[in-house]
Amino acid sequence: MKMTSLLAISLSLTTPALAQDAATEAPAIAREAGDGVVRLYGAGGPHSALQKVADVWQAETGTEVAITFGPEPTWSDQAQADADIIWGTSEQSMTAFLETYTSFSSDQVQPIYLRPAIIAVKAGNPKGITGFDDLLADGIKIVVTEGAGVGNTSGTGVWEDIAGRTGNLDDVVGMRRNIVAFEHGSGASFKAFTDLDADAWITWPDWTARNPDVIEAVSLSEDRAIWRDLNVAIAPDADPEAQAFLDFLVTDEAQALMETEGWTR
């Protein structure tokens, strides 16, 4: 009787996780790549800079590039069916992708750009935030992006890396005290920043570049700087043009476009 009860408890704890994995991996989806369109999938953020590069490449080659972005659940099934390229907004997020998109493998992943975490503040910086120490002040409201074990996002762990960078536990304690929202993606964090009338958001420079009327960037000092990469992986059965697009994506012409949103090599 006791053994039966323990087994029931064990199943109740593990079944939701197993069900979630099955829904995510969707093994019944058939691959249908090779349609003459270069198809990229990934999280929002890099998409706007990638689109700038894609527009130029399409004009030069005549080959269509289709960029699909947003929270992973909104595009996961379609990506498993026809993605030529997936992009990750950090190494940890790409590693998670590879668990689902089994047409791709780790040895195909190429880090191609970096960008630094920044503090986004309200346009005009009304609280006069100039760096990390200001985030510890009483009454400062901070939003952070955190996967929390259920979301795949580049923001996972970034606030902790920044706060703990110098080995001072009090900095982690002080920053955590002022966090008013842990959101599962950058889009949700941007919304929370506005809805909660927050003072600071730990994010990436592409967000401030696209929304200068709402937020502006405050750089972190070198001793607090955290960088994460933009990486790409190409499927073995990708359209032949997909590799040509990736080659163009790191040219001088493309780098100039990517730099407008904070991406560097």
Side-chain angles (χ1 to χ4, degrees):
M1 195 70 174
K2 289 181 179 179
M3 186 176 293
T4 302
S5 298
L6 288 171
L7 178 60
I9 292 170
S10 176
L11 287 173
S12 71
L13 291 173
T14 59
T15 299
L18 292 172
Q20 183 181 30
D21 287 346
T24 302
E25 291 179 7
I29 294 176
R31 284 283 294 171
E32 296 181 1
D35 59 0
V37 177
V38 178
R39 299 187 183 277
L40 288 78
Y41 293 85
H47 68 280
S48 51
L50 290 172
Q51 189 64 61
K52 292 176 182 178
V53 177
D55 289 344
V56 172
W57 193 74
Q58 286 179 142
E60 292 180 0
T61 66
T63 300
E64 181 182 353
V65 178
I67 294 176
T68 302
F69 65 93
E72 185 183 2
T74 66
W75 49 259
S76 180
D77 286 356
Q78 193 59 43
Q80 290 173 66
D82 65 12
D84 295 304
I85 298 165
I86 55 174
W87 77 77
T89 48
S90 66
E91 287 295 324
Q92 55 89 17
S93 64
M94 176 59 85
T95 300
F97 283 160
L98 295 178
E99 294 292 316
T100 299
Y101 309 101
T102 56
S103 296
F104 301 82
S105 64
S106 183
D107 59 5
Q108 296 161 338
V109 176
Q110 305 172 54
I112 57 172
Y113 285 95
L114 282 168
R115 88 293 205 197
I118 54 103
I119 304 167
V121 299
K122 296 174 186 176
N125 196 4
K127 289 293 178 73
I129 293 170
T130 61
F132 174 80
D133 289 346
D134 295 326
L135 301 182
L136 307 182
D138 290 342
I140 293 294
K141 296 190 293 184
I142 306 168
V143 171
V144 299
T145 307
E146 185 65 58
V150 298
N152 186 356
T153 174
S154 59
T156 296
V158 171
W159 78 265
E160 180 185 7
D161 290 345
I162 293 167
R165 187 87 156 76
T166 64
N168 185 348
L169 181 60
D170 288 342
D171 288 346
V172 181
V173 173
M175 183 171 180
R176 198 180 210 291
R177 186 185 301 118
N178 285 345
I179 295 173
V180 295
F182 298 83
E183 298 295 337
H184 294 173
S186 294
S189 293
F190 187 30
K191 184 175 187 300
F193 179 83
T194 302
D195 291 350
L196 298 176
D197 192 31
D199 304 303
W201 167 30
I202 303 300
T203 187
W204 310 107
D206 45 295
W207 282 90
T208 53
R210 287 194 305 273
N211 302 280
D213 55 329
V214 180
I215 51 178
E216 63 183 69
V218 173
S219 298
L220 288 158
S221 58
E222 187 175 345
D223 64 338
R224 296 286 179 181
I226 296 295
W227 295 71
R228 290 197 172 170
D229 72 11
L230 169 63
N231 47 69
V232 292
I234 186 169
D237 60 351
D239 281 86
E241 296 85 357
Q243 185 58 58
F245 177 68
L246 288 186
D247 292 343
F248 180 75
L249 190 52
V250 295
T251 61
D252 290 345
E253 185 177 6
Q255 287 181 49
L257 294 169
M258 296 293 291
E259 193 172 1
T260 64
E261 298 194 12
W263 297 98
T264 61
R265 279 176 64 80

